[in-house]
Amino acid sequence: MFTKYGIPVMAALALTFATISVARLRPVESKVEPYTPPPSAEFKGKVGAVGIVEASSENIAVSQPLPGLVTAVYVKAGDRVVKGQRLFSLDDREIRAELALRESSLELSKAKLEKLAASPRPEEIPPANARVKEAEAQLSDAQIQLQLIESVRDKRAIRMEDLERRRRAVAIAEAKLEEARATLGLLRAGTWSKDIAVARAEVQQAASQVERVRADLERLTVTAPIAGEILRCKVRTGAYAAAGPLAQPLILLGSVDQLHVRADVDERDAARVRSGAAVVASARGDARRKFSLRFIRFEPFVVPKKNLTNDATERVDTRVLQVIYALEKGVPVFPGQQMDVLIEAN
């Protein structure tokens, strides 16, 4: 009985269970509307591009000319700054010590110049006059001694050696008198103009060295190159700041009173884009709100594409033409935000 009726019943039950299981496991097809509709525009022909919002001044990566330790940061992200306002400062102890040394050298050079310009001192003239009178007296005494020995009629009474010694004494006295008179004349003439010129050149050189050190000191305080807003601040007090271009700028600054959109147009569509074409854009993920854009300029140089979409037809060596458009004021977007741009094509 089991063989005749049981096995077929079990087979029928298994078939029924399998049929029901397969029916339940079949995928259910249903139409799901996207969370946000794709970007669209009422143009007969259009060119799509990916744009990024940036400041009208372009985003300025602020750096510093010299590496060093950050000692103070005066701004934070979102602050409004004016041109020349301090952003951050580096350690300046070594430069300040150098400045003090250069300023002392400048003061020494000025003192030397003033000393030369004030020469001679009034107190130096009387001693020089006294030395002239002393030399005159010594010459007069030597001449008298020579006259006495020359007045002897009998030359045998004197020695020729004494006569020559007194003659040489007169010559020495005359030379000393000339030296004293020359020294007096030099004092009365004052400092030589060439010496003053050299001293002035030394003062100018010392002043130039002071200005150079002050310039180095000013370079340690980084200031805002333009008036704008701090878009990003990655510098911290106590951190070491390297000089030169950085992968992550210390401070990102831009003028955000007017925002621009930098649209990347594929080089194959570049010929279809014109300056007076109508343009609409929407923020990425919010296609319902559309904003009109105003043409600013073309970037003449075609650059390699950096924003890749992983499309199978998209090559890594794709190049794009960058077109700059202006956003209307008050549009709720932020610098760095991506936008879908649709341009009316020829």
Side-chain angles (χ1 to χ4, degrees):
M1 292 294 291
F2 177 78
T3 303
K4 185 176 180 179
Y5 298 104
I7 293 178
V9 171
M10 293 179 63
L13 291 175
L15 178 61
T16 302
F17 177 76
T19 302
I20 295 173
S21 299
V22 171
R24 288 183 176 179
L25 293 176
R26 286 184 61 186
V28 178
E29 296 182 359
S30 61
K31 294 183 179 180
V32 180
E33 296 294 332
Y35 178 73
T36 57
S40 61
E42 297 178 355
F43 302 147
K44 292 183 179 179
K46 52 183 174 293
V47 172
V50 177
I52 186 168
V53 182
E54 65 179 15
S56 58
S57 61
E58 299 189 8
N59 300 334
I60 301 174
V62 179
S63 182
Q64 73 283 347
L66 299 173
L69 182 69
V70 179
T71 57
V73 180
Y74 308 106
V75 295
K76 61 182 182 299
D79 288 351
R80 289 273 185 167
V81 296
V82 297
K83 184 177 181 180
Q85 182 175 338
R86 297 186 302 172
L87 301 180
F88 62 93
S89 298
L90 302 179
D91 186 11
D92 59 357
R93 289 173 293 181
E94 181 179 358
I95 301 297
R96 288 192 179 278
E98 180 71 15
L99 178 61
L101 178 61
R102 297 300 182 184
E103 287 177 344
S104 62
S105 299
L106 176 60
E107 293 300 326
L108 178 61
S109 300
K110 288 181 177 180
K112 290 181 178 179
L113 177 60
E114 292 177 358
K115 178 183 177 182
L116 292 176
S119 294
R121 293 175 54 185
E123 297 82 358
E124 294 178 344
I125 301 298
N129 282 326
R131 285 191 290 270
V132 170
K133 292 180 180 180
E134 179 184 5
E136 290 176 348
Q138 290 177 352
L139 175 61
S140 177
D141 179 66
Q143 289 175 345
I144 292 173
Q145 296 296 329
L146 178 60
Q147 290 176 0
L148 289 175
I149 198 172
E150 287 180 346
S151 62
V152 177
R153 295 181 178 180
D154 189 359
K155 302 300 181 183
R156 292 177 298 177
I158 60 174
R159 293 186 303 175
M160 295 300 297
E161 180 181 358
D162 295 337
L163 179 61
E164 291 296 328
R165 184 179 294 112
R166 294 189 180 186
R167 287 176 178 174
R168 292 183 180 276
V170 171
I172 292 173
E174 290 176 348
K176 287 184 177 181
L177 177 60
E178 292 179 1
E179 180 184 4
R181 288 175 177 172
T183 301
L184 178 60
L186 184 62
L187 285 176
R188 288 176 175 174
T191 306
W192 190 30
S193 61
K194 300 297 182 180
D195 291 338
I196 294 180
V198 170
R200 286 175 179 171
E202 291 177 351
V203 171
Q204 292 178 356
Q205 183 181 15
S208 300
Q209 291 176 350
V210 170
E211 292 299 325
R212 180 186 62 80
V213 177
R214 286 178 179 171
D216 292 340
L217 184 62
E218 292 178 358
R219 293 169 66 191
L220 295 180
T221 299
V222 180
T223 58
I226 63 170
E229 183 177 344
I230 303 298
L231 303 178
R232 187 170 58 183
C233 181
K234 293 297 182 181
V235 60
R236 300 290 183 270
T237 303
Y240 183 83
L246 303 175
Q248 181 173 334
L250 300 177
I251 289 181
L252 197 64
L253 172 67
S255 178
V256 296
D257 294 334
Q258 174 67 63
L259 293 177
H260 287 177
V261 176
R262 183 178 295 269
D264 292 341
V265 178
D266 193 285
E267 59 183 347
R268 292 171 296 182
D269 298 325
R272 302 174 59 197
V273 177
R274 52 190 172 86
S275 59
V279 183
V280 294
S282 58
R284 182 64 60 90
D286 188 8
R288 293 186 180 91
R289 292 192 298 179
K290 300 176 183 179
F291 312 107
S292 298
L293 302 182
R294 177 171 52 86
F295 175 80
I296 298 296
R297 68 180 185 276
F298 288 109
E299 293 285 343
F301 187 71
V302 178
V303 297
K305 186 175 183 180
K306 295 182 179 180
N307 187 5
L308 302 178
T309 61
N310 294 327
D311 190 349
T313 61
E314 187 175 48
R315 298 181 300 175
V316 178
D317 60 349
T318 301
R319 303 180 74 85
V320 293
L321 171 68
Q322 293 187 331
V323 190
I324 310 300
Y325 295 100
L327 271 168
E328 299 175 355
K329 292 187 177 181
V331 175
V333 294
F334 299 94
Q337 188 172 351
Q338 286 188 334
M339 301 193 74
D340 297 314
V341 181
L342 294 177
I343 307 169
E344 184 182 12
N346 291 333

